[in-house]
Amino acid sequence: MQVRNSDAQFRAHEAAGAYVAVNGERIFYRTEGDRSDGSPVVMLHGVPTSSYLYRKLISLSVGRHFVLAPDFPGLGLSAKPPGRDYSWTALAQFVADFATTLKLKPMHLVLHDLGGPIGLEFAIRNPGMVASITLLNAPMQASAYKMPAIMRLLATPGINRLAFALLQPRLMLLAWRNMGVTGQYSVSLTDMQVYRRMLTHNDGQQSFFKIMQTIDTTAEKDRFLDEGLRRLGKPALVIWGKNDPAIPASQREWFTQRVPGAAVHLLNAKHFLMEDHAEEMSSLLLPFWDQVDGVQTESKLARDRLGERPEMKGWHKQGN
């Protein structure tokens, strides 16, 4: 039954998105809203997740916006060429190419996990393509970032295959409930089956391992982000799960010291805060985007949108 459910959720997720060719690579992005609705919102995920992570937040945050969450090359449903450059700089260039291909107007960026430094590098290199930045639990000072133990194993050649084989959905569910979410039913075993399938889809393990091995924690990357953030000058919002065992508060503080005008909201959440705090997050995001765009805030939350997606029904009370 769980496998059948995960197949349905996998297909529903794919049906809620679209594909686009970006420099010859087939890229998937989950989307909602209409291009004519207003400023685009681009949500960038981290590792080892995909656009599936944003399925709840997208539906609640459309408002007057066109929302897109692409899968990075090498992850999710996007192309996974083994010989590709998966460095942060290359993935930042991908974001620019994705936005150019879709002819997006200056966008509101939402950045989580390793999507944080990647998205900020994109913004620093392409400031005219960015309207605002929202930072969710993400490593900012690259040299101080310490990967969780399981991620270190997945980044180690010779060990990563065994570690990945052991990372089955039930173990993933235990890890997510320990490190990622505060609600017992925020994620289900079915969700973990979908997340794992995203990693193996299109023979994706090799690209995933390569991404893990190209995480850039050099002092040079620190200097680039430090200098770039200080001169970027974009409106910024920080929404942070204060109980995150993976990304310490010092990473948030490193960002706010360089972006002193950023508004900070601490939630009683862990690392994957959009899994169980999507409504609270959308109530912060919508007025922020509207303020940046200079339009009147829409106060209505689109909770009814959740029921329109088969994989969304009962998300707030799912069991396993």
Side-chain angles (χ1 to χ4, degrees):
M1 179 61 71
Q2 288 291 340
V3 172
R4 183 178 301 173
N5 289 344
S6 68
D7 286 342
Q9 288 195 194
F10 183 92
R11 290 192 300 270
H13 171 67
E14 186 173 25
Y19 288 93
V20 63
V22 179
N23 294 333
E25 293 179 332
R26 191 169 187 250
I27 299 299
F28 175 82
Y29 61 101
R30 180 137 182 176
T31 184
E32 194 162 336
D34 187 88
R35 183 181 289 269
S36 63
D37 284 346
S39 300
V41 175
V42 175
M43 299 180 172
L44 299 180
H45 65 83
V47 181
T49 58
S50 66
S51 59
Y52 187 74
L53 179 70
Y54 285 116
R55 64 199 182 282
K56 302 167 188 175
L57 190 59
I58 288 175
S59 290
L60 287 167
S61 301
V62 172
R64 60 174 89 247
H65 302 281
F66 176 43
V67 187
L68 311 92
D71 285 344
F72 280 119
L75 293 167
L77 298 176
S78 287
K80 300 174 177 178
R84 194 191 201 282
D85 182 357
Y86 289 108
S87 67
W88 286 0
T89 297
L91 293 178
Q93 182 59 48
F94 157 76
V95 178
D97 295 339
F98 173 79
T100 299
T101 299
L102 290 177
K103 300 179 180 179
L104 298 179
K105 295 182 292 184
M107 67 192 74
H108 299 290
L109 284 174
V110 178
L111 311 175
H112 180 253
D113 193 80
L114 294 185
I118 293 168
L120 286 181
E121 180 161 347
F122 155 72
I124 291 167
R125 296 186 186 279
N126 304 275
M129 301 177 76
V130 177
S132 75
I133 294 170
T134 296
L135 183 70
L136 314 176
N137 295 50
M140 290 287 94
Q141 185 182 13
S143 63
Y145 173 57
K146 305 298 182 184
M147 287 191 291
I150 183 60
M151 302 301 282
R152 291 198 298 272
L153 292 175
L154 291 168
T156 305
I159 299 176
N160 50 14
R161 289 179 180 274
L162 176 60
F164 189 83
L166 294 174
L167 195 63
Q168 294 299 317
R170 290 192 181 278
L171 180 58
M172 291 175 65
L173 183 61
L174 289 174
W176 277 58
R177 288 181 173 172
N178 179 49
M179 299 185 65
V181 298
T182 55
Q184 181 180 1
Y185 302 115
S186 301
V187 290
S188 67
L189 180 59
T190 301
D191 289 321
M192 296 301 103
Q193 290 171 325
V194 174
Y195 274 119
R196 196 177 194 282
R197 183 171 172 181
M198 294 291 177
L199 291 172
T200 59
H201 184 69
N202 288 338
D203 195 26
Q205 287 176 242
Q206 291 307 310
S207 60
F208 168 55
F209 294 153
K210 191 169 183 180
I211 290 171
M212 294 302 302
Q213 292 160 10
T214 54
I215 291 176
D216 190 347
T217 57
T218 62
E220 181 181 357
K221 185 63 69 176
D222 279 351
R223 286 192 295 272
F224 173 82
L225 293 175
D226 180 11
E227 296 170 2
L229 273 176
R230 292 182 188 278
R231 66 172 184 267
L232 187 58
K234 298 295 180 181
L237 172 68
V238 177
I239 305 176
W240 199 269
K242 63 183 180 181
N243 302 317
D244 186 349
I247 311 291
S250 58
Q251 293 283 350
R252 179 188 74 241
E253 293 163 357
W254 192 90
F255 177 82
T256 55
Q257 288 167 3
R258 287 150 184 82
V259 188
V264 179
H265 296 271
L266 303 181
L267 305 186
N268 188 27
K270 295 182 181 179
H271 187 63
F272 298 113
L273 60 170
M274 62 286 288
E275 284 284 13
D276 51 8
H277 289 75
E279 290 186 1
E280 191 173 358
M281 293 172 70
S282 69
S283 71
L284 298 169
L285 287 166
L286 288 170
F288 171 64
W289 295 331
D290 286 346
Q291 181 182 35
V292 172
D293 292 344
V295 299
Q296 185 175 357
T297 297
E298 290 185 351
S299 60
K300 180 176 69 68
L301 287 176
R303 183 180 180 124
D304 58 315
R305 294 177 184 271
L306 297 177
E308 297 173 5
R309 303 293 192 197
E311 80 277 29
M312 305 298 289
K313 293 180 179 178
W315 68 269
H316 57 296
K317 52 185 177 183
Q318 281 182 338
N320 60 3

